[in-house]
Amino acid sequence: MRKNKSIIKSMLAVIMTLILTFGSTLSVLAASPTLIIRKNWSWQEGTFKINGVPQEGIYEMFSGETSPGNFNAPFGKTVIGTVYMQNTTSQQFDWSLISGPPISRIWVKGGPNALEYDYGSGATSGFGLVAPDNKDISHVVFFFGQTPVDDDDDDSPAIIFVENSEGQLVSIYTISGFKFEEITGETNKPLEDWKIILTGPGEIKHETQTNEDGKYQFTLNNAPTGTYIVTEEIPSGWQNITELSQTINLGSGLYTIPYEKGTLQLGLDQNMTSIFTETFVAEGRIGDLGGNATHEINIHTPNQGSVQSQGNFSWANGGEKVPFELRYDNGLVSFTVGNAGTLTYSTGESVKDIVIRTRATKPDSGIKISDIVLNGESISETSVAIGNGVGVGNLWIRGYNLDNGFILTGNSQMYWDANSIPTNSQLAFQIKVGEAERVNESYQIDFVNKRLQVVDPPVVDPPVVDPPVVDPLDPIIDLLDEEIPLAIVDFDIDGDDEEELILLDEEIPLGIVTLPKTGEINPLEFVIFGLLLAVVGFKLRKESI
């Protein structure tokens, strides 16, 4: 029996191959596939549904059935056709019709979306079918001569929103000031091209020059908070009047300036909660789709602290726009969604900022807030969240004058997977009203200098020296202008132990004395003369003894 079945399968495979190769009168090449955004389809109890509407003559193959073979297309309990699939992988397949009406189109699903292969009036074979982006195939839907029908008015696919950029909290700190020359009795004069230095936590250091007005400025984005020091550099010839270095505590909230009017995508919740303090929140959520188990619209106090007012509403799937309006007038809050009744709540607090938060936690679901108008001014930005993405959006509306209250209107849109419907706040939007703090801060530090005075050195008169005072009683010594006499000292030649000074009455010879040169006198004469002196001396000594 098994052998016969194997033979039959082999014969069918050959027949299908021939059909695919040579074609038939009903073989039609499909046009380029069209991307289908996720429809609200389901396969329950043998019946394929779109938005809950049964689709006749359709067979859906799940990913576990990718082996080649025949697959019957049931409707209820009646088999209306058979499709043979071959060359199957997790990402593509070929097919041919064994029995039943021609195939008019095929949906190949992978991930949240599908590709639609349109065969016009019908075909009996096709090849190379894939899912979007070549994802693994999860479902294949064959339409046996039928056109898919859903309950959408325009038969358009469900909307998939595009999330806003992830966003980030942008803290802008401005440190600026002026540098002047102090001039006595005159208006201070701006000083240009003077260096100003800013240092902060870690290794933060910035330098700038004053402009022609004497102004300098540092703009810091997302800078760490803490102690910063602003210092001026003083050249020679100047002195400071104000402190040379001045300290500020960045992030202290001092000198906060009003926010620039506009919007900012904050992205993740932590970016929003780090700056925003809620006063009250108006919320629209999927709840239980208008049932009595819970509510769909409410007004509550900060951080889901307490629901002050609530109501029911049945949201439409597929991205249908539902209008809303939030009013705040003299402390009275009024919130209306669609045709539901208006919710109210009273609070006496002042408000300055609005954040529209969206949230989607389940796959194939999403929510979008658009067409926003605040006090008659249109806001082009949107707040979007999809379950297949980040899942949260925070649109900060800032810088608008809300002191006298406000009227905020817009549209909300939701879509979800009919097989996995979100509940409660798994698909929701919140309009948070309160005040944002410590994002834009401005600090002004001025410097004043003056020129050093140039002091000339003092003029010192030379000291007056008085002439010496002569005492009249002191004796006066007259110096005689006489010649110095010539003399010879007699060294006791006569032996009477007395030396005698013999004055020579001769003039000092004038002229140049010529000394004998070495070698001009015979040295023997000196030797003989020396010996004679020695003998005379010896004799004289002997006589004296």
Side-chain angles (χ1 to χ4, degrees):
M1 187 70 176
R2 291 181 178 176
K3 185 175 182 180
N4 291 336
K5 286 184 177 180
S6 298
I7 295 173
I8 293 172
K9 286 185 177 181
S10 298
M11 293 177 63
L12 287 173
V14 172
I15 294 171
M16 292 304 102
T17 301
L18 292 172
I19 292 174
L20 289 173
T21 303
F22 298 104
S24 69
T25 56
L26 292 177
S27 293
V28 178
L29 182 64
S32 299
T34 302
L35 178 66
I36 299 177
I37 302 299
R38 178 70 162 101
K39 300 287 288 188
N40 295 310
W41 51 19
S42 64
W43 179 259
Q44 297 174 340
E45 299 178 354
T47 303
F48 183 77
K49 298 178 181 180
I50 301 177
N51 285 330
V53 178
Q55 306 294 303
E56 297 186 5
I58 292 176
Y59 167 75
E60 182 175 31
M61 179 198 75
F62 293 92
S63 57
E65 301 174 351
T66 56
S67 59
N70 293 339
F71 298 94
N72 296 324
F75 175 63
K77 296 181 180 180
T78 304
V79 175
I80 62 172
T82 301
V83 173
Y84 181 82
M85 301 182 68
Q86 63 181 17
N87 299 327
T88 58
T89 69
S90 62
Q91 295 180 334
Q92 71 172 23
F93 66 91
D94 301 337
W95 67 274
S96 60
L97 182 67
I98 300 300
S99 65
I103 302 299
S104 60
R105 68 190 66 203
I106 299 174
W107 287 358
V108 182
K109 180 175 178 291
N113 306 320
L115 287 179
E116 179 182 68
Y117 292 83
D118 188 351
Y119 293 95
S121 59
T124 58
S125 63
F127 56 90
L129 281 70
V130 297
D133 300 322
N134 288 316
K135 294 182 180 294
D136 287 346
I137 297 171
S138 61
H139 301 76
V140 179
V141 180
F142 292 87
F143 293 85
F144 286 80
Q146 302 291 324
T147 300
V149 178
D150 61 35
D151 57 359
D152 292 340
D153 294 337
D154 58 358
D155 193 27
S156 61
I159 296 174
I160 283 192
F161 308 128
V162 177
E163 283 188 312
N164 303 111
S165 58
E166 184 174 339
Q168 61 177 346
L169 174 61
V170 178
S171 300
I172 302 175
Y173 301 99
T174 302
I175 301 170
S176 63
F178 292 87
K179 191 171 180 65
F180 298 107
E181 176 186 359
E182 183 181 74
I183 303 176
T184 304
E186 299 181 24
T187 304
N188 288 346
K189 177 183 176 182
L191 294 174
E192 184 180 2
D193 292 331
W194 283 55
K195 182 185 290 187
I196 306 295
I197 303 168
L198 174 68
T199 56
E203 298 181 356
I204 293 178
K205 183 176 181 180
H206 302 284
E207 297 181 356
T208 189
Q209 304 286 126
T210 56
N211 63 15
E212 60 183 2
D213 298 320
K215 183 177 181 180
Y216 72 92
Q217 179 169 312
F218 299 99
T219 301
L220 308 177
N221 293 328
N222 294 329
T225 58
T227 300
Y228 285 71
I229 300 174
V230 185
T231 304
E232 62 171 339
E233 188 176 276
I234 301 180
S236 60
W238 292 80
Q239 72 178 53
N240 57 300
I241 303 300
T242 54
E243 292 292 332
L244 188 65
S245 295
Q246 302 186 49
T247 301
I248 58 175
N249 186 16
L250 204 66
S252 64
L254 300 176
Y255 316 113
T256 302
I257 61 174
Y259 301 123
E260 182 180 352
K261 185 176 180 180
T263 60
L264 183 65
Q265 293 288 351
L266 296 178
L268 302 178
D269 280 341
Q270 55 262 40
N271 292 337
M272 180 267 295
T273 56
S274 65
I275 65 163
F276 193 76
T277 301
E278 301 172 359
T279 300
F280 63 87
V281 179
E283 180 178 21
R285 61 183 202 156
I286 195 169
D288 63 350
L289 290 176
N292 296 321
T294 184
H295 63 272
E296 286 72 41
I297 55 176
N298 72 69
I299 301 173
H300 63 261
T301 50
N303 302 318
Q304 295 285 0
S306 175
V307 174
Q308 303 298 317
S309 183
Q310 66 182 45
N312 295 110
F313 183 75
S314 182
W315 301 95
N317 195 359
E320 179 180 329
K321 289 187 175 182
V322 177
F324 67 84
E325 180 184 89
L326 178 64
R327 289 176 176 259
Y328 188 50
D329 185 17
N330 292 323
L332 178 63
V333 181
S334 302
F335 183 43
T336 305
V337 175
N339 56 7
T342 300
L343 306 181
T344 59
Y345 167 64
S346 294
T347 177
E349 298 185 47
S350 62
V351 297
K352 294 184 180 301
D353 300 273
I354 297 173
V355 173
I356 300 180
R357 176 179 181 261
T358 48
R359 180 174 185 252
T361 62
K362 301 200 74 172
D364 300 332
S365 68
I367 184 167
K368 178 180 181 180
I369 302 299
S370 60
D371 308 320
I372 302 169
V373 177
L374 176 59
N375 289 341
E377 293 187 48
S378 179
I379 296 174
S380 60
E381 289 284 346
T382 61
S383 182
V384 176
I386 62 173
N388 301 79
V390 176
V392 66
N394 282 285
L395 175 64
W396 179 16
I397 303 174
R398 63 183 190 175
Y400 289 80
N401 184 3
L402 307 182
D403 293 339
N404 298 320
F406 64 86
I407 301 175
L408 179 73
T409 62
N411 285 309
S412 64
Q413 298 170 262
M414 294 184 183
Y415 73 90
W416 61 85
D417 184 351
N419 291 326
S420 181
I421 302 175
T423 59
N424 298 323
S425 295
Q426 292 179 335
L427 190 61
F429 72 90
Q430 296 176 328
I431 305 173
K432 296 176 176 286
V433 183
E435 182 175 359
E437 300 174 349
R438 297 205 327 261
V439 175
N440 285 16
E441 293 180 4
S442 177
Y443 301 83
Q444 180 166 333
I445 294 178
D446 296 333
F447 293 96
V448 180
N449 303 85
K450 70 177 181 179
R451 298 177 189 270
L452 289 174
Q453 248 183 348
V454 179
V455 179
D456 296 330
V459 177
V460 179
D461 294 331
V464 178
V465 180
D466 295 329
V469 178
V470 179
D471 190 342
L473 298 180
D474 288 344
I476 299 175
I477 300 173
D478 293 331
L479 297 178
L480 300 178
D481 189 13
E482 297 179 353
E483 293 183 355
I484 298 173
L486 298 176
I488 297 175
V489 179
D490 182 7
F491 294 97
D492 192 22
I493 296 176
D494 54 6
D496 58 2
D497 294 329
E498 292 184 5
E499 297 177 353
E500 295 180 6
L501 179 63
I502 301 173
L503 297 177
L504 300 179
D505 189 13
E506 296 180 5
E507 292 183 0
I508 297 173
L510 300 177
I512 299 173
V513 178
T514 302
L515 297 176
K517 296 182 180 180
T518 302
E520 289 183 352
I521 301 175
N522 191 339
L524 182 58
E525 296 177 3
F526 290 98
V527 173
I528 295 171
F529 179 73
L531 290 174
L532 290 176
L533 287 178
V535 170
V536 172
F538 176 76
K539 185 177 181 180
L540 291 175
R541 178 175 178 79
K542 187 176 179 181
E543 289 178 357
S544 63
I545 292 173

